[in-house]
Each structure stands twice: as C-alpha cells, then as structure tokens.
C-alpha cells in the first residue's frame, strides 16, 4: 500500500526527515512513537503533501503510484487521510457542508456523480453514531469553538465519512479524556479492514491497548531507529527513550 | 504545477463572463453636459415642466459643487464630464404591447445574462417569482409582472412612467431622502438621470414577490445615471433586489445612481444588491466608476430598512447605503461584503443616523482584498440628542488574500445622547494557508477551498440575501477571487 524509501525532507532549509524507510501493507496498523521534535508531524505533513515542506530525496509509492508527484488534494482523493495533531477551524463553514464538498470532490475524481442528499444524510448519521459524535457538533462550523477533545473526535468522524485507504493519525489521543479515548479507538477499530491501513502516531502506550498495532516504530532525529511488535510500546512506556538514544549514539 | 497553470488559464479566460456588448440600435445624445442636454433628456422623456425645473435646479447647483476627491481612499485620473454621453437609449417603438415587439438583440442580451423577461407562468409555489424591471443604458426596457402586482395596488414601473402616471407620489418623495444638494454625484444624477425604477407598496400590503431591477450599461462612452425610489406605506413589506453588469471595455465608464427608500410606520424594506459592474482587467485597465448615493429613511415608528450588498465589481466603488432612523423604535441594518481584486478600489460603508427614541442599528461589514486592490470601510454612527436609548452594533472584518493588497477601516462615532449604547468590533486576518491545506487534505482543491472559506467568512451577510441571490453571490465571489491567493 505505502512504501517509503530513504525519504529526506525538511522545512526552511533544515532537514528533519533524514532517510526514512517504511513499508505498510494493506490492513496493517503501524504505530510510530518518538520524542518531541523527532519529526513525526513533519513526516505526516510531507506524506499529506504540505507545500512548505521540501522533499530532498527518496521515493514514496502509494498503491503503486508516485505519491510525491501528486498534489495534496489528489493524495486525499487517492485515499490518504491525515487526522491533524492540531485540527484547523473554518468559521462559517458547517461540518456537513465541508464533508459534502469533500465527498463530492473525491467522487468526481473517481468519475462518480455527486452523492444523493438522502444517502449523504444516512452516511452522516451512521458515522456519527460510530464515533458517538453529538449531532449538534456535526451541524456546527468546522472545529470552530470545539474543545480540544471535540476537535480530535471530529477528525475521526471525518475519517469515518471519507473512508480512506490509508489513515495517518497524528496524536489523535492527546487531549482526549478516558471515555473519549475509548470511543475514538473503538471507531478506528471498527474501520479496520483488510484493505485499509493506519499509521498511528502517539506518545502513549495506552492508546495501543485499544488499537493494537501490528508494528511499533521509534522515530528519532528523522529516522526509524527501532522497530518491533506491540511489546516495544510497553518497553518504551517503562524505560523512556534514553536507552534508545544511547543505542543510536553507540551505533 | 500543471494544474496550477490550468487554474490560471481558466481564471484569465473566465474573468468576467458578462463582458460581451450587444449590437442594439441606440439613440444617443452628443457627449458633454449643458443646460441644453438636460433639456434634451427631459424632452426625450416628454416630462412635465416641474420635472424639467427640478433637473435644471439640480444642474445649476451641481455646477457650484466640487468632486469629492479628497476624503475617500480612492485614486483615479481626472474625470472629464464633458466627454461623457449622458443619454443613450435602445431604439424601440414607444409603446410595447408584448415582448415580440422588443428588439430581439435586447432579449438575447438578457438571455445571456440569465434573466428571462418572459413572464414565467406562476407555478403553484414551486418557485418564488421575481418581478424584474430591466434598465439598459439608463432606460427601462421592460417591467414584468406589472399586472399581478397591480391587483394588490402595488406600483412597480420605470421611473419615467411614474413621472407620467404618478406625479403626486414622485413630487412628494423624490429628493426627500437624497436631495440634489446632498453631494456632487447626487446633484449630477438629479440633473441627467434618464430612468430607473419606482415602487410603491400600499398600506398593509406584503409584496408577494421579490421586486428586482436589473441594470446594464451597453453603449460605449456613456454614463449611467438611474434613480430608484421605493416607498413602503404603513404596515407594508417589500424585498427589493438590484443586479448589474457591463461589457468589458478599455475605457472607464461612469455610473452615478441614486436610491431613495421611505419606510412608513410599521413598514419594512429589504434592499439587496449584487453589484457586478465590469471591474477592469487584471492590470487595472477599464472598469466602471461607481459613485452611488443610497439612503433610506425610517420615517415613523417601528419602521425598518435593511441594506444588504455584495460588491464584487467596478474599478472604483464609492457607496454608503445609509439609514436615517427618525421614527421611534425604528431599525436600520447594513450587511456588506465588498470584494476587491487586481487593481480595484472600494471605499464603502454606511451611515446610521439615530434621531428617534429606542432606535437600533446593526452594521456587519466584511471586506475581502486580493491582488493589488484596496478596500476601505467607512462608517458613521451618529446618535443625535434626544435619541434616547439608541443602540448600535458594528462589526467590521477584513480578510486579506495577498501581501500586496490593503484593507482600511474608518469608523466614525458621534454620540450626543448619554443613554446610547454603541459597540464596535473590528478584525483583520489573512486567509490561512492552514485552512486551505486542511481543505486540500480532505480532497478539496485550492479554488474550492477559497470559495468555502470565504463564503464561511461572509455567511452572516449571505444569510440576509434571498435564496436565489445568495447562491448567485456565492458563485460570483468564487469567480472574483479565482487565482487570488498569494
Ligand atoms: N515550520 C517549521 N519551521 C521550522 N522548524 C520546524 C517547522 N516545523 C517543524 N519544525 C521543526 O522540526 C522538528 C520536528 O518537528 P515535528 O513537529 O515533526 O515533531 P514531532 O515529532 O511531531 O513532535 P511532537 O511529538 O512534539 O508533536 C522540530 O525541531 C520542529 O521545531
Ligand atoms: Mg507532532
């Protein structure tokens, strides 16, 4: 599904991703952990195609196509979804209208006509239930005045509606209370399928109790320095990052 | 990048889709302005003597006045008022029985504009009907639905017809809100106006459909000077729409209109404008100079006047739709979206004058500047002595789409009564790269993203527009701002 080879990227002349490799197969869940500033959000932004970030080397193929050649909106239409670490507010634009526009743009790209109003409403209702999002939130302006946790939940709601093939969740668990965490994780689990993959960026092992990953990677200074199964997350929780940093320095 | 070029290409070609000019046979006066021209116009229109006298008084007064060049934040070359043609009218038979007698080119023009002058059969409540008065090069060519309206006693006709048929109403109300002494352009208009719309809603009548005037400048070298007068008698209601377009020309054309509204006891008038005069090309060549005086008076208690404007066109906009709140408990509203792109300049806003007790006014202004344009809000809230418990709320927001454009806010407040409560809020923001990227990440391209964000920003104003108009305004906004982020 996603193959990243020796990716190098940075911003404002500073290299942040320094030779990153990752292979995500269909249906897999990969967790990426790593200390603050190690480049996790940068990686997400680069994959999503944010223009401020400059790719200086490497290749990324997504479902057999060259991801780096695509504009951000085409990446999205091809099935890549990013749940933002800091979701953006768009005053005056209702969530519903926003999603309807997005769905119809994605459909148009695939050569399908706009979705019927009643099918759309049905879809919204169904996905709202999936992430237990209050009806009033769906009708409000995109993220405007949402609490931190509500914004995160809204990201998952959008993901559920847009049904991507690859979803990158950038610290979606940060700022969620315990119940919300469970609900969001549940939502993700219900969306797991053999042709949908996830990259879950998190600082906390607890999320991975709910969303059980196939692989855990540690990102440090722009490269993956360690990979393992879900038990690696437990080890990190227990010992912190120092031992890994030491390993890197020694190597 | 290929895609970006496509968008650019499309932008350049779709810049102004109303820019055609039509080959309609016209009758024009020679360029220039003199008492003779004023007399010529009046004679052409078969006007009674009182009307000619009014024009001449206005003309003489105008000669003593100076162009308002200093206080607005607008830069433009000298206007030579002797180079302008003050009268141009499509040639047609004086009395039209039905549409088949109208010049087919003229009908085709309106077809191109998406306006059908054929009176659609009134389907049972499926579509809200709009009665249209079409004004081309200053002359009203067709008013639809007149008979239906007449059944309710509503008068909706061209201004010239009203001068002939309803002189008592014209004499009573014309110039009562905007006297010819008001300002330079109001005086000019009073002297040379060639037509416009008149509307009278009798006591207790709710006008069953939207009334609309559609203005079109066609002939090269002409100025357009039309007058609109709306009178809402006691307890009546009317919603009035105004639209306008012009051909693309290298020259600058002058448009100086006057709109007067009188709202009697318990009456309400909603006046909505979607102004789309040709804005000039991307280098600032050509475009309409739009100098318009719009004012309403809430004459008696519990009356209401609401202005909503979406200004996307014109190379220069000078326009301050205002309300005089004379009656106790009267309400004035001003909702505005003003978009400037390329080298457009807009100096627009409102004046709310509180005279009566418990009068309330609301001002919501949304300025959007792109390209090298300049966009100013200029507003005055005046609370006169004795206007007990007057209240005003103003909110003026500016949105910048580029680093080269300007946004300015000039809010003036004069309070002569201690009981007044006046609130003013203002914000300036730049359209967020973050917002655009967020939209793109959901599959929405840049142009659509800008459309969404800007429409969201203008929502409070669009909510005030009648449905069909709101959709039109949204589309227009998207076209005006195509390729404008940077
Ligand atoms: N716009 C920018 N300009 C300059 N430096 C930047 C910019 N964006 C990110 N960086 C730098 O890049 C590095 C990686 O940042 P990034 O946000 O990817 O980290 P992260 O792993 O997501 O951290 P966190 O766990 O705190 O979210 C940091 O040192 C950060 O300061
Ligand atoms: Mg981060």
């Amino acid at each position: 599904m996603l193959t990243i080879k020796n990716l190098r990227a940075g911003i404002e002349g500073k290299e942040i991703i320094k030779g990153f490799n990752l292979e995500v197969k269909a249906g897999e869940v990969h967790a990426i952990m790593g200390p603050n500033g190690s480049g996790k959000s940068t990686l997400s932004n680069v994959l999503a195609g944010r223009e401020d970030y400059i790719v200086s080397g490497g290749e990324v193929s997504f479902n057999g196509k060259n991801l780096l050649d695509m504009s951000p909106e085409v990446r999205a239409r091809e099935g890549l979804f990013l749940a933002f670490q800091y979701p953006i507010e768009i005053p005056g634009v209702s969530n519903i209208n926003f999603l309807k526009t997005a769905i119809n743009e994605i459909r148009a790209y695939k050569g399908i006509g706009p979705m019927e109003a009643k099918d759309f409403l049905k879809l919204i209702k169904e996905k709202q239930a999936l992430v237990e999002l209050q009806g009033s939130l769906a009708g409000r302006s995109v993220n405007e005045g949402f609490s931190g946790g509500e914004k995160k939940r809204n990201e998952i709601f959008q993901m559920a509606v847009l049904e991507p093939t690859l979803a990158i969740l950038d610290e979606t668990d940060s700022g969620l209370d315990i119940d919300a965490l469970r609900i969001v994780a549940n939502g993700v689990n219900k969306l797991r399928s053999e042709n949908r993959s996830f990259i879950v960026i998190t600082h906390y092992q607890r999320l991975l109790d709910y969303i059980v990953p196939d692989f855990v990677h540690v990102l440090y200074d722009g490269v993956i320095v360690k990979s393992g199964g879900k038990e690696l997350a437990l080890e990190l929780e227990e010992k912190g990052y120092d031992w890994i940093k030491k390993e890197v320095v020694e190597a | 990048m290929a895609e970006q070029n496509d968008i650019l290409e499309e932008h350049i070609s779709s810049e102004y889709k109303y820019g055609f000019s039509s080959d309609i046979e016209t009758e024009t006066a020679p360029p220039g302005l003199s008492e003779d021209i004023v007399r010529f116009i009046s004679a052409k229109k078969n006007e009674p003597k009182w009307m000619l006298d009014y024009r001449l008084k206005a003309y003489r007064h105008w000669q003593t006045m100076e162009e308002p060049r200093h206080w607005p934040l607008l830069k433009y070359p000298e206007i030579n008022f002797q180079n302008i043609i003050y009268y141009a009218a499509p040639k047609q038979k004086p009395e039209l029985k039905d549409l088949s007698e109208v010049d087919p080119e003229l009908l085709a023009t309106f077809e191109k504009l998406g306006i059908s002058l054929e009176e659609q059969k009134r389907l049972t409540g499926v579509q809200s009907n709009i009665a249209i008065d079409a004004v081309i090069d200053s002359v009203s060519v067709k008013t639809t639905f007149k008979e239906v309206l007449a059944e309710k006693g509503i008068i909706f006709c061209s201004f010239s017809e009203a001068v002939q048929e309803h002189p008592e109403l014209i004499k009573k109300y014309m110039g009562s809100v905007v006297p010819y002494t008001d300002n330079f352009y109001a005086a000019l208009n009073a002297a040379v106006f060639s037509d416009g719309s008149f509307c009278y809603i009798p006591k207790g009548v709710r006008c069953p459909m939207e009334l609309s005037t559609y203005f079109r400048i066609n002939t090269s070298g002409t100025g357009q000077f039309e007058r609109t007068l709306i009178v809402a008698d006691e307890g009546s209601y009317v919603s009035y729409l105004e639209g306008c377009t012009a051909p693309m020309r290298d020259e600058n054309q002058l448009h100086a209109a006057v709109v007067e509204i009188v709202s009697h006891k318990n009456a309400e008038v909603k006046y909505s404008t979607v102004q789309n005069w040709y804005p000039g090309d991307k280098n600032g060549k050509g475009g309409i100079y739009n100098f318009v005086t719009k004012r309403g008076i809430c004459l008696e208690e519990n009356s209401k006047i609401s202005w909503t404007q979406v200004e996307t066109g014109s190379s220069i906009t000078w326009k301050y739709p205002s309300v005089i709140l004379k009656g106790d408990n009267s309400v004035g509203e001003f909702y505005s979206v003003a978009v400037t792109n390329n080298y457009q300049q807009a100096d627009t806003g409102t004046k709310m004058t509180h005279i009566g007790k418990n009068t309330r006014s609301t001002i919501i202004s949304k300025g959007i500047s792109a390209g090298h344009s300049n966009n100013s809000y200029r507003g005055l809230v005046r609370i006169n002595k004795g206007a007990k418990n007057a209240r005003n709320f103003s909110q003026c927001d500016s949105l910048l789409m580029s680093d080269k454009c300007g946004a300015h806010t000039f809010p003036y407040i004069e309070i002569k009564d201690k009981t007044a409560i006046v609130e003013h809020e203002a914000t300036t923001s730049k359209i967020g790269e973050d917002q655009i990227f967020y939209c793109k990440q959901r599959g929405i391209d840049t142009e659509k993203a800008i459309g969404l964000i800007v429409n969201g920003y203008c929502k409070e104003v669009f909510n005030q527009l009648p449905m069909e108009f709101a959709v039109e305004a949204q589309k227009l906004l998207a076209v005006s701002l195509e390729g404008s982020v940077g």
Side-chain angles (χ1 to χ4, degrees), chain B residues 270 458-466 470:
Chain B
K270 247 178 105 70
C458 300
K459 195 172 166 200
E460 283 162 280
V461 176
F462 288 167
N463 280 348
Q464 299 296 324
L465 289 172

Side-chain angles (χ1 to χ4, degrees), chain A residues 50-51 72-73 76-77 80-82 84 88-89 91-93 98 102 105 143 155 158, chain B residues 3 433-435 437-446 448 452-453 455-457 459:
Chain A
R50 183 143 196 162
E51 287 92 342
E73 60 273 26
R77 295 169 193 166
L80 185 141
F81 181 93
L82 170 62
F84 285 61
I88 308 296
E89 300 187 3
V93 178
F98 181 68
E105 288 287 287
N143 294 324
E155 293 291 285
Q158 291 182 29
Chain B
E3 195 194 4
E433 295 286 333
D434 286 353
Q435 290 176 328
F437 180 66
Y438 192 70
C439 293
K440 290 209 248 187
Q441 211 304 302
R442 301 304 187 241
I444 302 166
D445 67 23
T446 311
K448 278 234 167 66
L452 264 182
I453 295 163
N455 281 321
Y457 168 78
K459 195 172 166 200

Side-chain angles (χ1 to χ4, degrees), chain A residues 10-17 32-45 52-53 85-86 170-171 174 201-203 219 222:
Chain A
I11 187 161
E12 289 172 12
K14 182 176 153 205
E15 188 167 71
I16 295 163
I17 302 299
I32 296 183
M33 303 182 81
N36 294 130
S38 57
K40 302 180 297 296
S41 294
T42 303
L43 177 70
S44 321
N45 280 316
D52 328 356
Y53 293 83
Q85 181 172 4
Y86 304 107
D170 191 358
E171 293 197 27
S174 305
I201 295 170
T202 181
H203 284 295
L219 185 68

Side-chain angles (χ1 to χ4, degrees), chain B residues 32 36 74 117 173 181 192 194-195 262 268 346 380 403 414 445:
Chain B
D36 282 348
L74 301 169
L117 295 183
Y173 291 108
T181 49
V192 303
S194 24
D195 215 332
V262 179
E268 179 178 352
L380 170 64
D403 297 325
E414 287 174 21
D445 67 23

